[in-house]
Amino acid sequence: GENVEQHPSTLSVQEGDSAVIKCTYSDSASNYFPWYKQELGKGPQLIIDIRSNVGEKKDQRIAVTLNKTAKHFSLHITETQPEDSAVYFCAARTQGGSEKLVFGKGTKLTVNP
Amino acid sequence: NAGVTQTPKFQVLKTGQSMTLQCAQDMNHEYMSWYRQDPGMGLRLIHYSVGAGITDQGEVPNGYNVSRSTTEDFPLRLLSAAPSQTSVYFCASRAADTQYFGPGTRLTVL
């Protein structure tokens, strides 16, 4: 089955700096890669996603890149703000069958003012 | 739209007790799922359903039962609670690619 590795587990940056979180996946059949943000005491919320037929996707300060050959994808947050502080999860899903999402273990991002 | 709702928000059980975690969604989504979240473990899939009357096991199904009699509801039953089931439980529903999570139930088993 699919296995998703996420690094780093914790990340601390200064306000205004960029933050990068990386994930690798094992199943080459996976074709959908979402990123979730989880604030304290809340459920995860989708912030951006990418499909395997696209190499990069951007939404304001957030971007995701995908390298299918290397089977890794990354979340980039530019001009970080204190409200970006949260736990971020990557996930991968294989098309067809049960279409289950497999999650990475999460990255706790702290943006220091 | 209330989205995905879960009850209760907090629950404390004694070992061996049974209980049902409730989950409901008002978005008419066919796909629903249950995850547990433990420190350093991310989100692990317990059970999922692709529609009313259809359920299947996820990564960590032991000790849990589910049923899906309606599109809206997807309850998770703990048959005989164990301390290893102490966790935060999230229900989710999905339309196309986007998965929506509920606010979670924090369960402690003593």
Side-chain angles (χ1 to χ4, degrees), chain A residues 76-87:
Chain A
H76 304 254
I77 306 174
T78 59
E79 300 172 22
T80 54
Q81 301 166 2
E83 50 265 40
D84 294 330
S85 296
V87 179

Side-chain angles (χ1 to χ4, degrees), chain A residues 23-39:
Chain A
C23 289
T24 60
Y25 60 99
S26 61
D27 189 348
S28 56
S30 290
N31 64 354
Y32 174 68
F33 307 92
W35 285 89
Y36 288 84
K37 176 183 181 181
Q38 186 179 27
E39 297 176 338

Side-chain angles (χ1 to χ4, degrees), chain B residues 24-86:
Chain B
Q25 52 94 6
D26 60 359
M27 298 174 282
N28 203 32
H29 292 167
E30 292 293 331
Y31 191 101
M32 296 185 73
S33 51
W34 275 102
Y35 293 85
R36 61 177 288 172
Q37 184 175 33
D38 302 293
M41 297 295 292
L43 291 147
R44 292 183 292 169
L45 183 65
I46 305 172
H47 284 286
Y48 65 98
S49 169
V50 298
I54 306 169
T55 64
D56 206 346
Q57 296 181 350
E59 182 185 356
V60 287
N62 292 343
Y64 307 96
N65 266 1
V66 292
S67 59
R68 186 94 178 271
S69 56
T70 67
T71 299
E72 295 77 21
D73 301 297
F74 191 41
L76 178 72
R77 296 182 185 86
L78 279 70
L79 307 172
S80 177
S84 60
Q85 294 178 304
T86 293

Side-chain angles (χ1 to χ4, degrees), chain A residues 32 36 38 41-46 49 51 87 89 93 95 97-106, chain B residues 9 31 35 37 40-43 45 48 50 57-59 90 94 96-104:
Chain A
Y32 174 68
Y36 288 84
Q38 186 179 27
K42 296 184 178 180
Q45 184 175 14
L46 179 71
D49 56 9
R51 286 196 158 274
V87 179
F89 291 96
R93 191 182 77 209
Q95 192 71 31
S98 62
E99 299 189 9
K100 292 180 280 190
L101 266 180
V102 177
F103 285 83
K105 293 184 178 180
Chain B
K9 197 166 180 61
Y31 191 101
Y35 293 85
Q37 184 175 33
M41 297 295 292
L43 291 147
L45 183 65
Y48 65 98
V50 298
Q57 296 181 350
E59 182 185 356
F90 289 100
R94 194 181 92 204
D97 286 333
T98 305
Q99 183 148 285
Y100 300 87
F101 285 86

Side-chain angles (χ1 to χ4, degrees), chain A residues 38-94:
Chain A
Q38 186 179 27
E39 297 176 338
L40 198 62
K42 296 184 178 180
Q45 184 175 14
L46 179 71
I47 55 170
I48 196 167
D49 56 9
I50 192 168
R51 286 196 158 274
S52 58
N53 58 350
V54 175
E56 184 173 359
K57 184 176 179 181
K58 194 172 182 180
D59 183 5
Q60 299 183 337
R61 295 186 297 108
I62 294 173
V64 57
T65 58
L66 172 65
N67 183 327
K68 282 193 299 182
T69 303
K71 289 191 280 190
H72 67 70
F73 56 113
S74 300
L75 177 71
H76 304 254
I77 306 174
T78 59
E79 300 172 22
T80 54
Q81 301 166 2
E83 50 265 40
D84 294 330
S85 296
V87 179
Y88 291 82
F89 291 96
C90 63
R93 191 182 77 209
T94 304

